[in-house]
Amino acid sequence: MASLKDTLLENGVITAANLAEAEQIAASSYTPLITVLSQRGLVEESALLHAYARAHGLAFVVLRDTPVSPAAVRRLSAKLAAHYHVVPVDVADNGMMTVAVCDPLDMRAVEDIETSLGVRVVRVLACREDIDEALQRYYGVGADTVERILSEQPERDIPVTVAESLDIGEQGADASVVRLVNQLLKDAISDRATDLHFEMHRDGVVVRRRIDGILYDTVTAGRMRTLYPSIISRIKLMSGLNIVERRLPQDGRARVSIDNRNYDLRISIVPAMHGEDVVIRILPSTMLFNLEELGFNPGQLKMLNDMIAAPHGILFVTGPTGSGKSTTLYACLSKLNTRERKIITIEDPVEYELRGITQTQMNPKIGLSFASALRSMLRHDPDVMMVGEVRDRETAEIAVQTAMTGHLVLSTLHTNDAAGGAARLIDMGIDPYLITSTVQAFMAQRLVRTICENCRELVERADGVMRYQGRGCRQCNQCGYRGRIAICEFLPLVDEISDLILKRASAHQIRERANALGMPTLREDGLSKVELGLTTEDELLRVTLAS
């Protein structure tokens, strides 16, 4: 059997010079050669483990492609598997258990498992990242922490209801529950989740993450239901909410630091049938907003830049919740944010803090509404104002008056397309002549997922057309998409459109006229991005079907 050194050299994994250097370090520091090669990054982990497996008669596996026996997972506890960073692959009737390890020199794991379970362990090698992923897939996020907590207190097999929720201080495992909540948050952030959902159902706890606009289930420990009241109490304590109140909705905020990055958490708690449901919105404390990176084509970008460069007028961005309206407006404000301009925003809530900009958050409990705040902010001599959303006639009237007195106003409306913007304002009671005098344009947008760059490939469709799609890989969690860009449509108030608005035309009539004038629609902008290989027709259909 060839030695590890011979195998590495024969396969061209490492040069003779680097190997000699590693051997010298290993000899002088009394450290195993494989440890030196791994710690110094001289050999890729997969290549190193392949070579070690060949030299020592072991098998190397890719856990994602390897069937894992549920019986083996049930036999080896999450606590033990996480502690030694191993994954049980199979267990035979003769008492032999196959276990995947990433450190072939650590025999303590083998000895402890054999002693604890009374089995004989057969090792196979797997990369550390594969084992991390498999531990979450088969045991669930935080499973080892849940087992550690419950091993210190008896498990209560009682349905958890609102009335039975306990304060975190009563659980006797504060630090462990803190670790569990931190672990769930950290894992969500590492997967680029924007929202984390905790839901209590009759048959247990469901934890879901929203990634690129889509909700995905998170595998969690089945026994987490016992700790659910403590988890909710911990989240309430983090956000300064009333841990005793379980009958009414509550909203709060918190700031956390994970891997030296600060995140703002917006927390919403509502009572449900079997407990309290929680949604945590995860927002980086600092973000760089750049119009050029949102997905606009050169023509759209020029039109948008021209509009925000105007000294006065209103730009309305329309679309449903989650369509990226606020992000676009933040990017516009970042472009306008200079020492020569006074910029004020009125938001509900303030999602991101922008340095150099005065940001005010609504508080309906004390009567601070969009309309009242907007009226007061005019006395602060602003050049640019952003109104988070025009929801009623009073806010719309003040926004129009603000634009007429020489201010640039950016705001949003909840309509399905750009043509519906004018009709919505008219329905609110705004005179058509005021709309045509102040509004520069209505802009509608959606967010489409982009094809994962790592697994992007060109495939032939049934109609013979070649299109890009994502095959699915570890980086995109096998979905074929990673990240999102905007698709949009602009409705500038040119004379033909203004004439229709003055006649109180319907959104359908305005849309037909815009099409006749050659203004690209949301779907047409999306198709252009499909042809560029940025997204797929299936994804475009998903976000524009209701448009």
Side-chain angles (χ1 to χ4, degrees):
M1 188 179 296
S3 67
L4 174 61
K5 295 185 294 183
D6 293 338
T7 306
L8 290 171
L9 289 172
E10 285 172 9
N11 290 277
V13 175
I14 192 172
T15 64
N18 284 343
L19 180 58
E21 179 188 350
E23 285 185 295
Q24 186 177 358
I25 295 170
S28 62
S29 61
Y30 301 100
T31 305
L33 176 61
I34 187 174
T35 304
V36 173
L37 293 170
S38 176
Q39 289 177 348
R40 293 183 173 263
L42 296 172
V43 181
E44 277 191 22
E45 184 187 22
S46 60
L48 182 58
L49 292 178
H50 262 296
Y52 188 93
R54 185 175 302 177
H56 293 81
L58 299 174
F60 177 85
V61 298
V62 178
L63 288 173
R64 179 175 288 280
D65 304 327
T66 303
V68 171
S69 164
V73 174
R74 288 194 297 269
R75 188 80 182 273
L76 184 63
S77 69
K79 183 178 177 181
L80 206 58
H83 178 72
Y84 286 115
H85 205 254
V86 300
V87 172
V89 177
D90 194 19
V91 61
D93 293 336
N94 60 3
M96 190 172 292
M97 177 178 280
T98 304
V99 175
V101 304
C102 60
D103 184 357
L105 301 180
D106 184 7
M107 297 304 296
R108 293 174 304 166
V110 174
E111 295 167 357
D112 201 353
I113 292 171
E114 288 182 338
T115 303
S116 301
L117 303 184
V119 298
R120 184 185 168 201
V121 170
V122 177
R123 296 178 302 158
V124 294
L125 305 186
C127 291
R128 180 172 294 275
E129 193 175 336
D130 272 355
I131 289 180
D132 284 338
E133 192 178 82
L135 285 171
Q136 287 194 17
R137 185 161 66 248
Y138 296 112
Y139 287 102
V141 179
D144 58 316
T145 307
V146 172
E147 282 198 5
R148 191 179 303 115
I149 298 171
L150 294 179
S151 66
E152 298 169 4
Q153 57 184 5
E155 182 175 1
R156 299 177 300 117
D157 191 18
I158 303 172
V160 179
T161 64
V162 174
E164 294 163 358
S165 297
L166 300 175
D167 294 343
I168 196 169
E170 298 175 8
Q171 295 299 305
D174 297 13
S176 295
V177 173
V178 169
R179 279 199 303 272
L180 177 58
V181 172
N182 290 348
Q183 193 172 351
L184 289 165
L185 282 170
K186 184 175 181 180
D187 198 68
I189 289 170
S190 68
D191 275 353
R192 304 178 300 109
T194 55
D195 301 85
L196 184 60
H197 295 237
F198 295 84
E199 301 164 0
M200 187 66 189
H201 299 283
R202 185 181 298 276
D203 56 352
V205 178
V206 175
V207 179
R208 298 193 287 173
R209 306 170 186 162
R210 189 177 295 279
I211 303 171
D212 293 333
I214 305 295
L215 276 173
Y216 296 94
D217 282 343
T218 300
V219 180
T220 56
R223 300 169 74 193
M224 190 178 286
R225 64 192 295 273
T226 307
L227 296 173
Y228 191 70
S230 296
I231 293 171
I232 300 301
S233 293
R234 169 58 187 164
I235 293 171
K236 287 180 178 179
L237 285 172
M238 288 171 58
S239 50
L241 299 179
N242 184 351
I243 62 174
V244 178
E245 180 56 72
R246 304 178 186 97
R247 301 165 301 169
L248 296 173
Q250 296 189 72
D251 294 312
R253 299 181 76 115
R255 175 168 286 196
V256 297
S257 179
I258 297 177
D259 294 334
N260 297 319
R261 280 198 75 183
N262 291 324
Y263 295 87
D264 287 322
L265 307 180
R266 282 199 350 237
I267 292 140
S268 177
I269 301 179
V270 296
M273 283 189 63
H274 302 288
E276 293 175 286
D277 283 4
V278 180
V279 176
I280 301 177
R281 171 66 61 87
I282 303 169
L283 302 167
S285 292
T286 56
M287 272 192 71
L288 297 176
F289 295 95
N290 193 328
L291 278 175
E292 286 73 16
E293 296 176 359
L294 298 185
F296 300 120
N297 64 43
Q300 294 167 341
L301 199 56
K302 183 181 185 306
M303 189 179 302
L304 193 53
N305 280 322
D306 289 345
M307 288 176 185
I308 64 176
H312 55 82
I314 307 177
L315 170 64
F316 280 110
V317 183
T318 73
T321 301
S323 59
K325 302 185 299 295
S326 296
T327 301
T328 296
L329 291 185
Y330 275 123
C332 291
L333 292 180
S334 295
K335 188 109 178 176
L336 294 169
N337 189 13
T338 63
R339 300 303 299 170
E340 294 79 25
R341 289 190 181 95
K342 172 75 172 182
I343 301 177
I344 298 177
T345 73
I346 306 165
E347 307 172 60
D348 184 21
V350 173
E351 293 194 7
Y352 300 100
E353 293 182 22
L354 298 177
R355 183 177 176 83
I357 294 178
T358 302
Q359 295 174 270
T360 301
Q361 180 161 316
M362 297 302 91
N363 190 345
K365 292 180 180 178
I366 61 172
L368 183 58
S369 64
F370 279 113
S372 61
L374 186 54
R375 194 178 290 109
S376 299
M377 294 307 174
L378 283 173
R379 293 190 281 273
H380 276 248
D381 188 30
D383 297 294
V384 180
M385 297 192 68
M386 184 184 93
V387 182
E389 182 185 348
V390 169
R391 299 175 178 171
D392 50 48
R393 176 176 181 173
E394 186 180 10
T395 306
E397 285 178 340
I398 299 173
V400 166
Q401 292 167 8
T402 301
M404 291 185 72
T405 54
H407 300 85
L408 178 64
V409 179
L410 310 178
S411 191
T412 69
L413 280 171
H414 278 291
T415 61
N416 283 331
D417 58 10
R424 178 68 185 276
L425 290 176
I426 292 173
D427 289 342
M428 286 182 184
I430 305 302
D431 288 331
Y433 80 90
L434 291 176
I435 299 173
T436 59
S437 301
T438 57
V439 176
Q440 298 185 61
F442 295 97
M443 168 189 167
Q445 74 172 55
R446 301 287 190 277
L447 294 176
V448 294
R449 292 180 293 171
T450 52
I451 300 171
C452 175
E453 288 289 338
N454 188 59
C455 61
R456 183 170 174 260
E457 60 182 8
L458 197 59
V459 298
E460 184 177 356
R461 298 189 319 177
D463 58 5
V465 177
M466 301 298 290
R467 285 283 187 263
Y468 281 103
Q469 70 177 30
R471 183 178 61 255
C473 65
R474 180 179 297 158
Q475 290 189 18
C476 62
N477 290 325
Q478 305 301 318
C479 71
Y481 299 97
R482 184 177 172 87
R484 291 188 292 176
I485 57 172
I487 59 170
C488 65
E489 64 182 20
F490 282 88
L491 182 72
L493 266 63
V494 296
D495 291 342
E496 293 89 341
I497 300 298
S498 295
D499 289 343
L500 285 176
I501 293 173
L502 290 171
K503 296 174 183 176
R504 297 178 179 267
S506 67
H508 178 70
Q509 292 172 316
I510 295 173
R511 189 182 305 115
E512 284 189 334
R513 187 57 180 157
N515 292 340
L517 292 172
M519 297 179 184
T521 64
L522 273 171
R523 192 161 295 164
E524 288 169 347
D525 184 37
L527 286 172
S528 70
K529 290 178 168 62
V530 171
E531 292 174 0
L532 290 172
L534 298 175
T535 189
T536 65
E537 290 183 349
D538 289 341
E539 175 66 7
L540 179 62
L541 188 64
R542 181 183 71 83
V543 300
T544 61
L545 191 59
S547 301

